[in-house]
Amino acid sequence: MTHARIAINGYGNLGRGVEQALSLAPDLELVGVFTRREGVMTASGPAFPAAELTDPQLRARWAGKIDVVINCGGSKSDLDTQTPLVASGFNVVDSFDTHARIPAHFEQVDDAARTAGTLALISAGWDPGLFSLQRLLAEAVLPAGHSETFWGPGLSQGHSDAVRRVPGVKNAVQYTVPKEDVRAAALAGETEGQLSAGDKHRRIVYVALENGADPEAVRQAIVTMPNYFAEYETEVHVISDEEFAAEHTGMAHGGDVIRHGTTSPGTSHALHFNLALDSNPEFTGSVLVACARAVARMHARGERGAVTLFDVPPALLHPASAAQLRADLL
């Protein structure tokens, strides 16, 4: 069984989800949690400064002690800078999920990882991540067809984080809600794969504001945010701290990948992959932990640079040996 030493970079909801997932992985060892916040206590003890993973001088103390770092920051303002910095010293996994910016992020991380001789798996999670694999498999099996992806109803971690970065916002959540008539049409094979994400979803935002913040200025900053809200029908609701705490701390999410295709005239098929998650961060953390296991194994085989889940042999995600997998799962 592979034994790999894992570090968590960032201790918000996702970082705690990764910590929980590592507790269920006997082949992986948590060697430290790193955060930009001071005085943070984790389930395993005090956290370390995040700079010890990114500063070339400070991270020397961790040389040879970490096999993979799991970056748990947000995509809007963290991962595009954090992941290349971490990749310049350590193998790394991230969940960068701004789809339009993934190619540029990949190139930047690939340059850093190849220069340092490390391996970096970007954009892991469930979308991008598991849903990406489902789209690939469905298109490979049914090349004559069309696909649709739906997210929600549920809380989006990346979009909620983006809203929390808006000046004047104290706390925020964003719910992605599929338009059910469009989803029903997709399940019935009545769409043609030409719908935009905005055609298929609404975004509903609840914010608690800092004292003195201008609600209309906050709303405008949210609804015009490119890559997050500008392309969608978006509702913004300003609520009290008390209402936020009482009604908006759950983290359920989910979604669907649907493909309809034909293999000969009159012969049609449908593939449907569905996720229903009680906890978005705990499930996403579980995906990242499986990816960290694969990265440790792939780096040991000599692989370097940036990769995505498209490049990972599925067997390397699982703790069992190849022989066990053939006997139990094939």
Side-chain angles (χ1 to χ4, degrees):
M1 179 182 291
T2 301
H3 177 82
R5 299 161 297 179
I6 309 299
I8 298 173
N9 184 23
Y11 200 60
N13 292 325
L14 181 55
R16 289 188 289 273
V18 170
E19 184 180 41
Q20 173 63 25
L22 285 170
S23 72
L24 303 176
D27 59 322
L28 304 178
E29 174 192 0
L30 175 59
V31 296
V33 175
F34 296 77
T35 178
R36 292 173 296 192
R37 292 177 289 151
E38 296 183 359
V40 173
M41 290 296 298
T42 75
S44 57
F48 301 98
E52 295 188 8
L53 296 178
T54 56
D55 186 295
Q57 294 182 326
L58 295 178
R59 70 185 177 208
R61 65 173 289 200
W62 295 99
K65 299 177 182 178
I66 296 173
D67 294 307
V68 183
V69 175
I70 299 178
N71 272 358
C72 298
S75 297
K76 187 175 188 300
S77 304
D78 296 329
L79 295 177
D80 54 351
T81 55
Q82 286 180 354
T83 299
L85 286 171
V86 173
S88 67
F90 304 95
N91 300 322
V92 63
V93 174
D94 82 13
S95 59
F96 186 83
D97 66 357
T98 307
H99 290 263
R101 291 166 49 204
I102 286 174
H105 183 59
F106 182 94
E107 293 300 327
Q108 186 179 19
V109 175
D110 189 54
D111 287 344
R114 290 191 182 281
T115 299
T118 61
L119 184 65
L121 197 165
I122 70 156
S123 298
W126 61 272
D127 199 358
L130 296 188
F131 272 17
S132 310
L133 288 176
Q134 295 302 318
R135 287 189 287 264
L136 183 152
L137 292 171
E139 291 185 14
V141 173
L142 293 174
H146 57 273
S147 301
E148 302 286 5
T149 300
F150 291 85
W151 307 294
L155 184 146
S156 168
Q157 294 181 99
H159 286 73
S160 297
D161 177 72
V163 176
R164 288 191 290 268
R165 305 298 178 100
V166 172
V169 172
K170 180 189 295 185
N171 213 340
V173 290
Q174 189 269 184
Y175 300 101
T176 303
V177 180
K179 297 178 180 179
E180 285 303 329
D181 57 336
V182 182
R183 181 178 177 275
L187 285 169
E190 297 170 356
T191 60
E192 296 296 331
Q194 301 299 317
L195 299 173
S196 70
D199 293 330
K200 296 182 288 187
H201 303 88
R202 295 184 295 120
R203 298 198 181 278
I204 303 176
V205 183
Y206 292 89
V207 296
L209 300 181
E210 302 281 2
N211 290 335
D214 180 349
E216 181 57 24
V218 169
R219 191 190 76 82
Q220 282 297 321
I222 293 169
V223 301
T224 60
M225 190 183 298
N227 297 321
Y228 286 87
F229 298 102
E231 301 82 6
Y232 294 85
E233 175 189 335
T234 301
E235 301 174 18
V236 179
H237 302 275
V238 177
I239 61 176
S240 67
D241 293 340
E242 293 75 18
E243 184 178 350
F244 191 96
E247 299 185 13
H248 297 286
T249 56
M251 295 187 182
H253 211 343
D256 306 85
V257 175
I258 303 162
R259 186 166 181 82
H260 290 267
T262 59
T263 50
S264 64
T267 305
S268 61
H269 313 274
L271 292 172
H272 180 198
F273 180 73
N274 171 264
L275 286 179
L277 314 176
D278 278 351
S279 170
N280 188 357
E282 287 193 17
F283 185 83
T284 302
S286 297
V287 178
L288 297 179
V289 165
C291 289
R293 175 184 293 116
V295 165
R297 292 171 168 178
M298 293 168 69
H299 185 262
R301 294 180 174 186
E303 298 198 35
R304 304 293 186 266
V307 294
T308 71
L309 269 173
F310 294 153
D311 308 302
V312 177
L316 299 186
L317 297 165
H318 199 287
S321 68
Q324 287 176 302
L325 293 176
R326 288 191 295 270
D328 298 341
L329 301 181
L330 192 60

